[in-house]
Amino acid sequence: EPEVTQTPSHQVTQMGQEVILRCVPISNHLYFYWYRQILGQKVEFLVSFYNNEISEKSEIFDDQFSVERPDGSNFTLKIRSTKLEDSAMYFCASTGGNQPQHFGDGTRLSIL
Amino acid sequence: GQQVMQIPQYQHVQEGEDFTTYCNSSTTLSNIQWYKQRPGGHPVFLIQLVKSGEVKKQKRLTFQFGEAKKNSSLHITATQTTDVGTYFCGSGGSTLGRLYFGRGTQLTVWP
């Protein structure tokens, strides 16, 4: 069964540094999402992306965050200047339309 | 937004006992989706309910959507150790929009 893949599985970064999280959505899917989950808390929506532009973003997704689909397969989340509170599990998800969202295994981001 | 509250936060049961988790919203939900997240894993879609009063079953799992579409429940009959994980309800603002997740119920099953 096709799946969403995310790299790296764990990223450790110094506070203030930029980090890029990578995702390869399921190949025929058109709608992409980033969520985050702080340890022990619920999954929170960050941003959705369709047709090469952001379709919706949450209040968490401030100017420090950006997303990009640099080619036909990758979907990236960039955090420009990381803060301690950015430490979380980041999940990428995709859907083909009127289907459930499929989640990747996540990237655990640790900010030191 | 479509905020969903989920209870209980934790549930510990003996293997063979039943388990239920509840989701509630103050607003009418367009749909309710249930996900399971194993420890250290990612959310895995279980089911979606759309119609008022809808009931769906998956083996030992029974999902219900309230008549007013403001609450939902997941019931597991005769839990097994493989049922361990956190069960999240989520609701979508639109077919392709964001998912609003509940806090989740962390289920522990003792053998």
Side-chain angles (χ1 to χ4, degrees):
Chain A
E1 185 178 324
E3 55 184 30
V4 176
T5 56
Q6 289 185 244
T7 55
S9 56
H10 192 189
Q11 175 79 47
V12 182
T13 302
Q14 290 286 337
M15 185 172 62
Q17 296 295 306
E18 175 183 286
V19 66
I20 297 176
L21 310 183
R22 301 181 192 280
C23 170
V24 179
I26 294 173
S27 63
N28 62 346
H29 284 185
L30 300 174
Y31 303 84
F32 316 119
Y33 310 82
W34 282 101
Y35 293 84
R36 80 170 186 191
Q37 185 177 32
I38 294 171
L39 187 63
Q41 298 188 22
K42 68 179 180 182
V43 178
E44 300 175 290
F45 169 80
L46 292 177
V47 66
S48 58
F49 191 87
Y50 169 70
N51 201 25
N52 284 321
E53 60 183 22
I54 290 173
S55 47
E56 189 178 4
K57 59 184 181 180
S58 72
E59 57 281 358
I60 302 168
F61 194 89
D62 61 22
D63 291 344
Q64 294 300 311
F65 291 85
S66 63
V67 289
E68 196 177 35
R69 188 154 164 81
D71 52 45
S73 61
N74 289 284
F75 178 50
T76 62
L77 174 69
K78 182 193 291 186
I79 309 175
R80 264 180 270 283
S81 178
T82 49
K83 304 186 285 287
L84 292 176
E85 53 264 39
D86 292 328
S87 295
M89 185 72 105
Y90 288 79
F91 291 106
C92 174
S94 70
T95 180
N98 209 24
Q99 297 289 327
Q101 294 180 22
H102 293 262
F103 285 75
D105 286 339
T107 293
R108 181 171 301 284
L109 178 62
S110 300
I111 306 301
L112 304 179
Chain B
Q2 300 195 16
Q3 303 295 329
V4 287
M5 307 299 293
Q6 191 172 356
I7 56 169
Q9 190 173 347
Y10 304 98
Q11 186 78 57
H12 307 276
V13 300
Q14 200 83 35
E15 191 172 20
E17 291 181 340
D18 293 354
F19 159 76
T20 305
T21 174
Y22 301 90
C23 273
N24 295 287
S25 172
S26 58
T27 59
T28 302
L29 301 171
S30 54
N31 59 70
I32 195 89
Q33 300 177 30
W34 286 93
Y35 287 77
K36 177 183 178 181
Q37 184 178 27
R38 292 186 186 277
H42 62 276
V44 175
F45 174 79
L46 295 176
I47 209 156
Q48 176 174 273
L49 305 172
V50 178
K51 299 176 185 174
S52 167
E54 190 169 13
V55 177
K56 287 189 178 179
K57 289 180 184 288
Q58 286 181 353
K59 297 183 180 178
R60 294 178 295 105
L61 277 62
T62 302
F63 304 85
Q64 287 190 303
F65 202 9
E67 293 289 342
K69 298 180 74 172
K70 290 185 177 181
N71 57 74
S72 181
S73 65
L74 158 59
H75 179 82
I76 302 179
T77 305
T79 54
Q80 300 174 358
T81 54
T82 52
D83 295 326
V84 164
T86 300
Y87 292 84
F88 292 96
C89 60
S91 184
S94 64
T95 303
L96 298 166
R98 63 190 292 181
L99 279 171
Y100 296 85
F101 282 100
R103 186 164 185 165
T105 296
Q106 187 176 318
L107 173 64
T108 304
V109 181
W110 294 329

